[in-house]
Amino acid sequence: MQIILLHPRFTKARSVTLGSKHLFILMFLLVGLIAGSSTLITYFLLRQAGDPDASPLLHKLAVSMSQEEDGRNEKFLKENLAMMAVKVGEMQAQMMRLDALGERVQGLAGIRPEEFNFKESPGRGGAEVSSLAGPGRDVGLDELRRMLDNLAVDAGHRTDYLNAVESTLMSDKIKSRLLPTNQPVNVAYNSSSFGWRLDPFTGHNAFHEGLDFPAPVGTRIVAAAAGVVIASEYHYQFGNMLEIDHGNNIITRYAHASRLFVKVGDIVKRGQHVADVGSTGRSTGAHLHFEVRIRGIAQDPRKFLALGANGGNQPKQMPVFVAGR
């Protein structure tokens, strides 16, 4: 850059040539001057702001700047509090879902409500000052936000876990209700057990494939488990007979009934009244002949009824019983 200087005192024009080095030095000095001036003004304002009598204008300017900074801080705080309030609302909804899910799991698991109450906060306590870490400290805004985020993630994981537990418990509950563990008649003993015996008609040694429960004619017969009726008919040996399919290849048979109250295709519940005791078919007197069959093979019904008598604690996997001598 070339600068030409003209003046009446000069006999001739003078010129000054500025290179890039000179321009860089001038720009550096200009920036330094601006920064220094700004620092001095700020220092002067801060020093004079506390004394209104010294410079009212400077005091008003400092107060205005302070109020503007406070306004920005308040706006930032309000925005963060609004975000945290939304997060807290989401957490409250998540906790309500967890409480409802926990109560369902509690019921399926057989835990008494007084032993684990989801409506009450668990007791907590401890010393204010730790011997390991010293006294407590204040929680900052950023730290509180991180804690809420981590809590939301943990709540999601626990919801997934409880859903899986609920599904497993529900599956076990359904399977247990499909096992024939309910006593079909209200009788304390049986007149003929499962296994080899002398046939009451021929006197020959014959295998008895069920249990005989003696009871007066008209005594209620109930379903040993939930299922679907697959036979409701008269059989030349079993008389009036019912067969109920409980799934998993399990079938129960109720024979010698005087009356049948369900038909083929009916869905029956556990403990539902399905027939009355009688003495139809090949029978010497009023009784219920009760069988349990797995894949068509007769099983000892006492092994299933014993599970119900012990409180209904069913195994996770159904045992397979094989008839034998």
Side-chain angles (χ1 to χ4, degrees), residues 107-110 168-178 314:
L108 290 172
T168 302
L169 288 174
M170 182 64 74
S171 177
D172 291 344
K173 194 79 170 180
I174 293 173
K175 289 180 180 178
S176 69
R177 290 187 177 276
L178 296 177
Q314 311 299 341

Side-chain angles (χ1 to χ4, degrees), residues 3 23-24 37 48 62 86-88 116 197 212 215 231 244 247 257 290 295 299 305-307:
I3 301 175
L23 292 175
F24 178 77
S37 300
Q48 298 295 326
V86 172
K87 182 66 69 174
V88 169
F116 201 94
R197 69 172 185 176
D212 287 344
I244 300 176
F290 175 66
R295 299 185 183 92
Q299 311 293 324
L305 298 179
L307 294 177

Side-chain angles (χ1 to χ4, degrees), residues 59-78:
H59 175 72
K60 290 180 180 180
L61 180 61
V63 170
S64 177
M65 292 174 62
S66 177
Q67 290 176 348
E68 184 178 355
E69 182 67 21
D70 291 342
R72 286 197 296 267
N73 291 335
E74 185 178 359
K75 181 180 178 182
F76 175 78
L77 184 60
K78 286 182 178 179

Side-chain angles (χ1 to χ4, degrees):
M1 178 184 293
Q2 188 175 21
I3 301 175
I4 299 175
L5 302 177
L6 299 175
H7 196 274
R9 294 182 181 181
F10 297 157
T11 57
K12 61 179 181 178
R14 297 182 181 182
S15 63
V16 178
T17 303
L18 299 177
S20 58
K21 182 177 180 180
H22 298 91
L23 292 175
F24 178 77
I25 293 174
L26 287 175
M27 291 179 62
F28 179 78
L29 291 175
L30 180 61
V31 170
L33 180 62
I34 293 173
S37 300
S38 176
T39 303
L40 288 175
I41 292 173
T42 302
Y43 172 76
F44 182 72
L45 288 174
L46 293 175
R47 187 170 183 180
Q48 298 295 326
D51 188 4
D53 297 333
S55 179
L57 181 61
L58 292 178
H59 175 72
K60 290 180 180 180
L61 180 61
V63 170
S64 177
M65 292 174 62
S66 177
Q67 290 176 348
E68 184 178 355
E69 182 67 21
D70 291 342
R72 286 197 296 267
N73 291 335
E74 185 178 359
K75 181 180 178 182
F76 175 78
L77 184 60
K78 286 182 178 179
E79 290 176 351
N80 279 270
L81 287 176
M83 293 174 58
M84 292 173 65
V86 172
K87 182 66 69 174
V88 169
E90 294 175 354
M91 289 298 304
Q92 288 176 339
Q94 188 80 341
M95 290 301 106
M96 291 178 65
R97 287 195 293 267
L98 276 175
D99 287 345
L101 183 59
E103 289 179 354
R104 292 200 302 269
V105 171
Q106 177 187 36
L108 290 172
I111 302 174
R112 293 182 298 178
E114 57 269 19
E115 292 180 0
F116 201 94
N117 190 355
F118 284 87
K119 299 297 184 182
E120 296 181 358
S121 300
R124 297 185 298 172
E128 182 179 0
V129 179
S130 170
S131 59
L132 298 176
R137 55 183 176 82
D138 295 334
V139 179
L141 193 62
D142 292 338
E143 185 178 2
L144 183 58
R145 185 167 53 246
R146 287 194 300 270
M147 291 171 64
L148 285 174
D149 292 339
N150 293 334
L151 187 58
V153 173
D154 290 342
H157 291 164
R158 282 161 173 75
T159 301
D160 295 339
Y161 174 75
L162 281 177
N163 278 322
V165 172
E166 182 191 25
S167 298
T168 302
L169 288 174
M170 182 64 74
S171 177
D172 291 344
K173 194 79 170 180
I174 293 173
K175 289 180 180 178
S176 69
R177 290 187 177 276
L178 296 177
L179 285 178
T181 58
N182 189 55
Q183 187 87 1
V185 289
N186 188 18
V187 176
Y189 71 100
N190 57 82
S191 58
S192 187
S193 300
F194 178 86
W196 290 94
R197 69 172 185 176
L198 292 177
D199 187 277
F201 289 94
T202 65
H204 296 160
N205 196 24
F207 194 90
H208 188 231
E209 295 184 339
L211 295 178
D212 287 344
F213 295 96
V217 174
T219 303
R220 290 163 53 95
I221 300 173
V222 300
V228 180
V229 178
I230 59 173
S232 178
E233 60 192 17
Y234 184 86
H235 189 277
Y236 76 98
Q237 293 192 83
F238 293 119
N240 292 325
M241 179 193 72
L242 278 178
E243 286 185 351
I244 300 176
D245 187 347
H246 306 287
N248 294 319
N249 299 305
I250 302 176
I251 293 174
T252 53
R253 176 179 293 168
Y254 312 79
H256 308 303
S258 60
R259 297 176 62 189
L260 304 177
F261 297 105
V262 291
K263 61 184 183 300
V264 174
D266 286 351
I267 299 175
V268 298
K269 299 179 180 179
R270 180 186 182 90
Q272 179 177 332
H273 184 197
V274 293
D276 286 343
V277 170
S279 185
T280 57
R282 193 170 183 266
S283 170
T284 62
H287 72 287
L288 166 67
H289 174 82
F290 175 66
E291 293 184 13
V292 177
R293 292 178 173 271
I294 298 178
R295 299 185 183 92
I297 301 175
Q299 311 293 324
D300 188 350
R302 290 174 299 186
K303 296 180 179 180
F304 290 89
L305 298 179
L307 294 177
N310 291 333
N313 294 323
Q314 311 299 341
K316 288 188 178 180
Q317 293 185 347
M318 182 188 66
V320 176
F321 305 113
V322 180
R325 296 173 185 266

